[in-house]
Every structure is written in C-alpha cells, then in structure tokens.
Amino acid sequence: MELDIVKAHFSSSILIKSKIILLYKISKESETNLDFKTLQSLGPEKKKFMEMSEASKQTTRHEESEHLQNPEPDQILSQRRSLIVTQRKWWLSVSLCLFLVVLGDSLVMLLLNFFYVQDNREDSDQDLQYTGTWTQALIQNAAFPILIPLFFIFRSPKQNPETNNTRFLSFRILFLYTSLGVLVAAHSKLFALGKLYANYGVFTLIAAIQLIFMAIFTAIINRFKFNRWIIISILLTIVIYVFGSPEFGGEPDENEEFYNIQAWLTFAGSVAFALSLCFFQLGFEKLLVKTKRYGNKKVFRMVLEMQICVSFVASVVCLVGLIASGEYKELKGDSQRFKKGHTYYVLSLVGLALSWQVWAVGLIGLVLYVSGVFGDVVHMCTSPLVALIVVLAFDFMDDDFSWPRIGALIGTTLALGSYFYSMHKKNKKEMMELDRRENSVEV
C-alpha cells in the first residue's frame, strides 16, 4: 500500500514537472509574460519556476542592452569599415552628379548659342529673339524617354511591402509628381518669356535672386539648418552668377525690350524654380526614403524615377500649351530659316533636349545626396566656366573673358570649397562619434 502511494506521488511530481517544462516552452516561443493573477493560479513549484524564468529573461535583456550600448571591438571595427565605405560611395555619387550638372550646363549654353546664331532672323528682318517659348519649355523636358532604359538597368533595393502597397502612399507620390511637373513647366515657360523681353544681363541679375528664395523656402519647408560656411557659399555664389555669366546670342534688340513685363516673369520663374527644388528634396526625404520605399536607402534609381515622372507631366503641360497657342505652326518656318539646313535644325533641338536631361539628372541627384541649396549653388557656380567655353567656341562682338569673369572663376573655388568643407565637417563628426564609442569600449 505504501509502495503504491510512493509511486503515485512520484508519477504526479513527474507530471507536474513536465507541465512546467511545457509551459516554459510555450511562454518562450510566444515571448509573452504571464501576469500576476496567472502566477497566483499556478502551484508553488510552477510559480517558482516561472519567476526564475522571468528573472533569466530580464537578465538576458539587460545583457543585450549593455552589448548594444558597449559593442565589442570587432563590431566597432565593422561599423567603422561600413561608415568609410558609405562615405566613399556618397562622395563618388556627389562627384558624378556635379560632373553631370557642369556638363549639362555647358552643352545647353553652347547649343542655345549655336541655335540662335544659325537662326537667320536678322537677315530676314525678324525679331532677334526666338519667340517659340512653348517650344523652348517643351525641349527642356521632352527627352525623358532616354532615361527609361537606365531606370531598369540600375538595381532597386528590397522594398518594404508594408509601405509600398498602400493607397495613401501611392496617392501622395502621384500628387507630388503632378505638382512638380506643373512647377517645372511653369518655370521653363517663365524663364523663356523672361529672356524674350530683356537683355541677358538684366535677366541674369534678376535670376540670381533664386538662390535667396531657395534658402528661405528650404529653411521653412525642409527645415534645413544653415551654418556659416553654407551662408558664405551662398553669398559668393550670387556674386559669381552676376559677374560670371556667359554671353547669350538670343537677347532682343533695344527696341524689343520691355523691362516691366520681363522683371515680373523672371521673378515668378525664380520663385517657381526654388519651390521645385524644395519639393524635390521633400519628396525624397518624406516619401521615397522615410517610407522605406527603396529600402531606406538613397539610390540613384530614385533620381531617375523622379525625373522621368516629373518630365512626363511637364512635357504634357508644355505640349498642350504649344498646340493651344498655335505656336506649332511656326516650326516649319524655323527649320527653313536655319542656316545649316533642316538636318542641323533637328539635330540641334535633339542635342539641346538631351543636354537638358543631363543637367536635370545631375541637379536632382545633388538634391537627393546633399540638398536643394547645394544643387542650386553648383548650378549657379558653373556660369564662369560656361562663359569661358562660350568665349572659346563663339566670336561674339565685345565678348571676352574679362577680369570680372576671372574673379568669378576664382570665387567659384571658394564658394564650392566652403560648402564642401561644411560637408567634410559633417562626415568627420560621424567618424569622431564612432571613435568616442570605440574609446569607451577600450576603457
């Protein structure tokens, strides 16, 4: 009898222990904590075991948090290498975009001057300025299909399905691209009208204030933080743009100038251009990067997507304006008046459209990797270099690379150097923070 009682007691204790182990496994897999009432309902052995497991969990979490706060030296070394590689890739991307802006600006100004020199309006008793403003605006945006193959060549990081498939995100992206397309079409048209009514010197002087609007809008919209080096760069850039701009062969004659109309048109175009760069930056930060649509990374494919979609909308707007205004009827006469003939007329327009796309891709890339302010600074700082190229390529009357332009070219290195120094200090600060963490681990 006593033997049966002992066996029954032993089997019940084994059953209790097996249940305790089962409860522990279930709680471990589900990663849920039992509350106070559940612990009271358990037996003393179960309760003690659960308290011990909870204590071990808290100890493990505490060790993990300490490990994150004080990482191992191997982990610090891995972070250092990753940061160095990331910074090198970033500098390479910025350098590529800067080269595209300089190349695009140079080609655009060369081809524009070539177009106006070959457009035989003076000999045929026509206005010296080319009046096809909708055509000019369309040319700035129409070559976006050339970017579509590149869009598929560049790989895309793994997307986040939680944010990528939401209707609200798709609506915001569609609204962003539509708004930017209208803005880009507006400033393309307004700048073309501005050049129609005034000489290029006055146009350049008014257009220089776009950097001031850019600084104001980006501080309000993008919460951009300025330092003394960026402010110095902005001030130098404005002076450089005013004194170092190239000669333009399409400016009107004195009797064709209307400064009251031109001033307002160029002013409005400067505002539209500054707003477009701010919205480009806002779209990258709030939609394409922050929502992890591209895996929370800044990749060049974002630039291509943005440029293709925005240029498509802008091209539709300009095409509607071209047809509605009846300006398309003048295209045949323009090609017949071209000195080099119809073939060169078409090639010059195609080359001009491609050059605008090169410039736009580089500019938007600088907005993505740095900021809209930096993109505008680089665009305006290219004017002395472009002026030198125009002087070497064309023989305009009284146009030479004078001392003001030489001074502007020297000032370009100072303006860009100030901004690059600001970016270098930011990268150096990140490295110093990693060094501080490494020293704390060694201690």
Side-chain angles (χ1 to χ4, degrees):
M1 183 70 179
E2 292 179 357
L3 183 60
D4 295 336
I5 294 174
V6 171
K7 288 181 178 179
H9 180 72
F10 180 74
S11 61
S12 64
S13 64
I14 292 176
L15 182 61
I16 291 172
K17 289 181 179 179
S18 64
K19 290 182 178 180
I20 291 173
I21 294 172
L22 182 61
L23 285 171
Y24 173 74
K25 289 182 178 180
I26 293 173
S27 64
K28 191 72 175 178
E29 292 177 357
S30 61
E31 295 182 357
T32 56
N33 298 326
L34 299 177
D35 55 8
F36 181 72
K37 292 182 180 180
T38 306
L39 287 174
Q40 282 185 335
S41 64
L42 297 174
E45 294 181 2
K46 298 180 183 179
K47 181 177 179 181
K48 183 178 180 180
F49 187 82
M50 293 303 296
E51 288 177 350
M52 291 174 61
S53 64
E54 185 65 26
S56 65
K57 285 183 183 179
Q58 292 179 358
T59 304
T60 305
R61 290 171 185 167
H62 180 68
E63 290 176 354
E64 289 178 354
S65 63
E66 286 185 349
H67 181 71
L68 290 174
Q69 294 177 358
N70 300 309
E72 297 294 331
D74 293 340
Q75 186 179 0
I76 287 289
L77 185 60
S78 177
Q79 292 177 1
R80 175 184 289 275
R81 289 174 180 172
S82 177
L83 182 60
I84 292 174
V85 171
T86 301
Q87 289 184 356
R88 286 178 179 175
K89 288 182 178 179
W90 181 84
W91 280 110
L92 182 62
S93 301
V94 171
S95 301
L96 174 62
C97 294
L98 194 150
F99 170 75
L100 291 177
V101 171
V102 175
L103 178 63
D105 264 326
S106 303
L107 291 176
V108 165
M109 188 53 64
L110 285 174
L111 289 172
L112 274 176
N113 279 304
F114 173 77
F115 184 86
Y116 284 113
V117 167
Q118 298 299 322
D119 190 36
N120 199 14
R121 288 180 172 268
E122 186 175 8
D123 295 342
S124 58
D125 198 22
Q126 298 286 331
D127 296 338
L128 296 181
Q129 174 62 288
Y130 181 66
T131 56
T133 53
W134 279 116
T135 304
Q136 295 179 58
L138 179 62
I139 290 172
Q140 292 186 30
N141 302 283
F144 68 91
I146 197 67
L147 303 177
I148 296 177
L150 295 176
F151 176 77
F152 291 103
I153 290 174
F154 283 91
R155 290 190 309 163
S156 175
K158 187 177 180 181
Q159 300 180 357
N160 190 340
E162 295 180 359
T163 57
N164 188 43
N165 296 327
T166 58
R167 291 185 178 180
F168 186 58
L169 177 60
S170 301
F171 174 76
R172 286 192 296 174
I173 292 176
L174 180 62
F175 179 75
L176 172 71
Y177 291 158
T178 305
S179 303
L180 280 171
V182 173
L183 267 177
V184 169
H187 77 67
S188 301
K189 170 68 174 179
L190 289 170
F191 277 143
L193 285 172
K195 288 185 292 185
L196 180 64
Y197 291 116
N199 65 64
Y200 196 62
V202 177
F203 171 83
T204 302
L205 183 63
I206 299 176
I209 64 175
Q210 74 184 29
L211 191 54
I212 299 177
F213 288 118
M214 182 71 226
I216 296 173
F217 292 151
T218 195
I220 298 173
I221 298 174
N222 306 114
R223 305 293 182 183
F224 185 78
K225 295 181 180 180
F226 294 88
N227 55 40
R228 58 182 177 179
W229 299 108
I230 296 178
I231 294 174
I232 291 173
S233 178
I234 291 173
L235 295 177
L236 286 173
T237 302
I238 294 174
V239 177
I240 290 167
Y241 192 71
V242 171
F243 290 98
S245 295
E247 190 71 21
F248 181 58
E251 59 183 356
D253 222 355
E254 292 183 0
N255 59 345
E256 300 168 352
E257 297 175 356
F258 299 95
Y259 291 104
N260 53 345
I261 301 175
Q262 179 269 345
W264 287 107
L265 293 175
T266 309
F267 180 86
S270 300
V271 173
F273 182 77
L275 276 176
S276 65
L277 290 184
C278 290
F279 286 136
F280 274 122
Q281 184 175 344
L282 188 68
F284 284 134
E285 294 174 350
K286 300 300 182 181
L287 293 181
L288 299 184
V289 176
K290 190 175 181 180
T291 59
K292 300 182 180 180
R293 189 167 179 265
Y294 278 91
N296 201 22
K297 294 180 180 180
K298 292 182 177 181
V299 293
F300 195 71
R301 194 175 184 184
M302 292 181 181
V303 177
L304 298 176
E305 177 187 334
M306 185 80 76
Q307 177 61 16
I308 291 171
C309 297
V310 171
S311 294
F312 170 74
V313 176
S315 299
V316 171
V317 173
C318 295
L319 187 61
V320 172
L322 180 69
I323 296 174
S325 63
E327 190 178 302
Y328 68 95
K329 299 176 182 178
E330 302 176 6
L331 296 178
K332 185 177 180 180
D334 295 334
S335 64
Q336 293 176 351
R337 192 171 50 249
F338 209 70
K339 292 180 181 179
K340 291 286 186 178
H342 177 74
T343 303
Y344 279 92
Y345 172 79
V346 175
L347 289 176
S348 63
L349 292 183
V350 171
L352 193 57
L354 294 176
S355 301
W356 277 116
Q357 290 299 312
V358 171
W359 171 81
V361 168
L363 182 67
I364 298 175
L366 293 178
V367 174
L368 171 65
Y369 291 112
V370 188
S371 67
V373 175
F374 181 69
D376 205 6
V377 165
V378 171
H379 162 57
M380 296 175 69
C381 279
T382 59
S383 57
L385 180 60
V386 175
L388 176 61
I389 296 173
V390 170
V391 168
L392 296 175
F394 298 96
D395 187 19
F396 291 123
M397 187 179 297
D398 299 329
D399 184 31
D400 57 353
F401 202 71
S402 56
W403 284 107
R405 287 178 175 171
I406 295 175
L409 188 61
I410 297 174
T412 297
T413 60
L414 298 176
L416 293 179
S418 297
Y419 211 114
F420 275 117
Y421 181 71
S422 175
M423 295 189 295
H424 170 71
K425 286 185 65 177
K426 182 180 178 181
N427 292 339
K428 188 177 180 181
K429 185 178 179 181
E430 294 178 357
M431 191 64 70
M432 290 176 63
E433 179 66 22
L434 192 60
D435 291 338
R436 185 187 63 80
R437 292 171 57 188
E438 183 179 4
N439 293 332
S440 65
V441 171
E442 293 177 355
V443 174

